[in-house]
Amino acid sequence: MANTNPTNSMRFRAKIVMTAVFVVLFGGVAANFFRISVLNNKKYQAMANDRHFGSIKISAHRGSIYDANGAVIAKSASVYKVILDPSCFRDELVELRKRVDKRNSDKQSGSYKPRYDEEGKEIDALPESVDAFVSEVSSKLCTKLNIKPEDVQKAMDADSQYSMLQDQVEKQVADELISYFNQYNMISLYVEEDTKRYYPQSELAASVVGFTNSDGNGLYGIEAKYDDYLSGVDGKTISAKDSNGNELPYKYSKTYAAKNGDDVYLTIDSNIQFILEKHLQEMVNDFKVKNRGCAILMNCKTGAVYGMAQYPSFDLNQPYEISDKVVAEEIKQITDKTEADKRTKEERELQWRNKALTERYEPGSVFKVLTSAAAAEENLIDFEKRYLYCDGAKAIPGVPNPIHCHQEGGHDSQTFQEALTNSCNPAFIDIGWALGEDKFVYYCDAFGLSETTGIDLPAESRGDPFTKDTINKLNLATGSIGQGETVTPLEMITAYCAAVNGGYLLKPYVVDKVVDQEGNVVLKNERTVRRQVISEDTSKKLRSCLEQVVSGKPESNVAITGYSIGGKSGTSQRKMITAANEGGDWRQAEDASKQEYCASYVCFTPAEDPELILLVMADMPDKNIEYYGSKVAVPTARKILEEILPYMNMSPEYTEEELRDLDVKIPLLEGTLDDATATLDSMGIKYEKVGNGIDVVSQYPLTGTAMAKTGTVYLYTEKAATPEYTEVPDLRYADLTNVNQITESYAVNYSTSGAPPSSAGATVAKQNLEPGTRVPKGTVIELEFKLPDVAFND
């Protein structure tokens, strides 16, 4: 019989094969172990932690935003997420059903004995039925949380332990819902604390401040730029779980506290911002400005922005609503949903966009300040000689039609000062040509027009000036007078600032400091000089020239009694073509009816040592009303500074002539007649006594009223005496001499605003009281003077 036992060689081969198999298998296990424990350690550790540990986020409170005076601009308040535990809710319904069934059974057997509190309410009252309870719960949740019934039902049916019904719920509502569940000893509805962003001043500085999304992250403005500081770091509570995924008792948990966000303090002053926005709104409405208006007030020495406004704006608490009611109504009329959604998105983006730093425009004659600065720095301007000639137009080689001066027939020969005051286009084209193409491009770049300013706000655009590749004789001519190249309003005011502050191009900023919750300053913004563009001497000469522009033509500039101000207005064509090939005038749009304009003004004060610089711009005012910078932007700038300068405690310094024109405030004169008359005599004010008493019992004008020194105060000395009445005269179009004569004959007084009343040609433009109105003698009529209109000099 054959031997069937394996031979030694067969056993050896089998051992070899088995050993090889085990080596391969062990190698595979070892390799997989190495992959899991070493290469993918973090991944599997996270998976294990997720299985064995639960984590609940503790939201950090977002830091607040304050204005320069510490007034709250943006803050976060506690709100709540309302959460339902569906699994627990269903278990509680089972228990509730047992309790309801027992109560109903006890009622049928007569053994039910309800208990009542002191107010007569049943203690531990139960619903009529579980179905009625579910229906009532669903209705209450829908009403209080503003959600749909199907969303509530979906949450109740969910196969989970967590279903968020609503977030951003106010405490009162959250407490009411929790209380409702608690009355039935149910804990399946609970809340988690969260935060909600509030903007107490609504529209104020909306485009600067910006807003947050539903997750609390900054979307626009300061909220976005300083999001890393404001947002803080969320905390969390980590708790251990058993093998079934249930959380273990509190001793197995650890809490990591949230680090609340830092507070941001702006350079913007809410009061100044309000003044800017108020007068911008007036300007936009009065002149029907199509493409919004904007204004910037900045510290000329540091670059700190005190106010940055645009109108129309939007409500930060409701940023997704279209603030322009006319536009909102237009969108409602669009029947096509896709088209309506597209228009809504466009309008939202427009109202959120900060016009001052995202939109470009042609600055017009305001740019002549930069042309002047560049030419003066290159010693190309003779400040003494009469060497600039204007015959009303300037021919451009290769272009059929010339560039015209605003004054038909021209200005003849002029000094540089006269050319600047007259805003003479031909003269500045000659200055630009003398500067040359390369130097013109160099100074445009040096003044920062080809780069962003670096302001601490997001989405800043940069200008589009001529470059070495695009500059030519025609572009040099148009560019010298502020046409053909574009800048942002922020670039323009920053460049203008460099021209008058000693030549220093500054980095503007809107945040003063960032402070953590312990009061430590973690960031401080200060004056940053990007470069010096022109010399101190050139800048000083330019300041003097711009001050003379204002004093030389106060009727088309911001001239305020007691303050030295320099400035320049501008009017630019917003839709223009260089019509060399068209045979047309370069100043014309292809269709004259479509020609739009931008009116602007930039001024600074004090002229000899500037501290404040202001830009006002109206983009596309209705040309059928007015569109020149001197007629649209200048009055707005004047109103702004008339309020801001006293607010900032910048005291006026009057000339002797201005002192004569100043109004006086009438003091309290009630008391002895002798004391009252002595006071008025010392002030040089006339008075009339009414009655035969020896004491003053009432007076007109009233205490604190401002009036001209030439007026008369009426002193009433008998308590029973009634005021004597007169009529308000019509003082419109009267000069100061006639005003004094008429008010004296009518026994009324007046106060003045606007242009200096003693200036040549100054007349009354407005009065606050209607002619013919019956008023007590001595009543003060508020008069606004204006200077005669002059030819366009923007």
Side-chain angles (χ1 to χ4, degrees), residues 364-369 390 404-407 411 414-429 480-481 549 553 556-557 568-571 587 791-794:
S365 291
V366 170
F367 192 88
K368 291 172 182 173
V369 173
C390 168
H404 291 283
C405 181
H406 63 82
Q407 181 162 308
H411 295 102
Q414 308 166 90
T415 62
F416 168 75
Q417 181 63 61
E418 289 170 336
L420 184 62
T421 302
N422 293 330
S423 196
C424 178
N425 283 342
F428 272 88
I429 291 173
S480 299
I481 59 175
V549 168
K553 287 199 173 178
S556 55
N557 285 279
K568 185 76 188 73
S569 59
T571 305
R587 292 161 61 98
F792 160 55
N793 71 327
D794 288 349

Side-chain angles (χ1 to χ4, degrees), residues 428-700:
F428 272 88
I429 291 173
D430 282 337
I431 292 173
W433 281 348
L435 185 62
E437 296 175 4
D438 289 344
K439 284 294 185 181
F440 183 83
V441 170
Y442 167 79
Y443 278 100
C444 283
D445 291 343
F447 276 114
L449 305 184
S450 58
E451 61 187 272
T452 59
T453 67
I455 191 171
D456 49 343
L457 285 170
E460 183 183 8
S461 300
R462 67 174 181 84
D464 187 22
F466 295 126
T467 66
K468 289 184 178 181
D469 295 330
T470 60
I471 194 73
N472 55 39
K473 189 98 172 172
L474 172 60
N475 289 342
L476 180 56
T478 60
S480 299
I481 59 175
Q483 290 284 177
E485 52 188 353
T486 58
V487 297
T488 66
L490 185 61
E491 282 180 317
M492 189 66 245
I493 192 174
T494 306
Y496 198 121
C497 183
V500 299
N501 72 358
Y504 301 100
L505 186 67
L506 302 174
K507 178 182 177 181
Y509 58 96
V510 294
V511 168
D512 175 38
K513 60 185 177 181
V514 178
V515 180
D516 68 17
Q517 296 302 308
E518 285 72 46
N520 302 308
V521 176
V522 297
L523 175 72
K524 176 69 176 176
N525 285 325
E526 296 177 336
R527 179 179 188 257
T528 301
V529 177
R530 294 152 67 190
R531 55 185 165 269
Q532 186 170 7
V533 184
I534 58 175
S535 67
E536 294 266 4
D537 183 61
T538 299
S539 182
K540 182 178 179 181
K541 291 176 181 177
L542 198 59
R543 291 197 297 269
S544 176
C545 290
L546 290 167
E547 181 181 14
Q548 292 179 63
V549 168
V550 174
S551 61
K553 287 199 173 178
E555 67 277 2
S556 55
N557 285 279
V558 174
I560 301 174
T561 303
Y563 295 94
S564 60
I565 299 173
K568 185 76 188 73
S569 59
T571 305
S572 60
Q573 290 84 0
R574 290 289 273 143
K575 291 183 179 180
M576 59 163 282
I577 55 170
T578 53
N581 299 322
E582 307 281 340
D585 190 334
W586 73 275
R587 292 161 61 98
Q588 298 297 319
E590 295 177 3
D591 181 347
S593 66
K594 295 180 180 179
Q595 179 72 68
E596 297 288 357
Y597 299 89
C598 182
S600 64
Y601 188 71
V602 183
C603 59
F604 57 93
T605 188
E608 61 280 1
D609 185 20
E611 293 184 18
L612 298 179
I613 186 165
L614 170 68
L615 177 146
V616 175
M617 189 257 272
D619 199 355
M620 300 186 189
D622 188 335
K623 55 182 176 286
N624 295 316
I625 300 175
E626 193 59 84
Y627 60 87
Y628 294 141
S630 57
K631 302 296 181 62
V632 178
V634 164
T636 302
R638 181 184 299 115
K639 291 175 185 176
I640 288 171
L641 288 185
E642 283 176 340
E643 287 194 54
I644 285 176
L645 294 177
Y647 170 75
M648 297 190 72
N649 296 317
M650 297 182 71
S651 302
E653 297 180 3
Y654 300 109
T655 63
E656 290 186 8
E657 182 182 1
E658 289 171 339
L659 282 170
R660 289 196 299 270
D661 289 338
L662 280 182
D663 294 336
V664 293
K665 282 193 175 183
I666 303 304
L668 176 63
L669 298 169
E670 294 178 13
T672 67
L673 180 62
D674 289 343
D675 287 345
T677 56
T679 298
L680 294 174
D681 286 338
S682 68
M683 297 174 67
I685 299 175
K686 296 179 293 185
Y687 55 86
E688 283 191 20
K689 186 183 76 167
V690 180
N692 298 315
I694 60 173
D695 291 323
V696 176
V697 296
S698 61
Q699 65 185 76
Y700 274 97

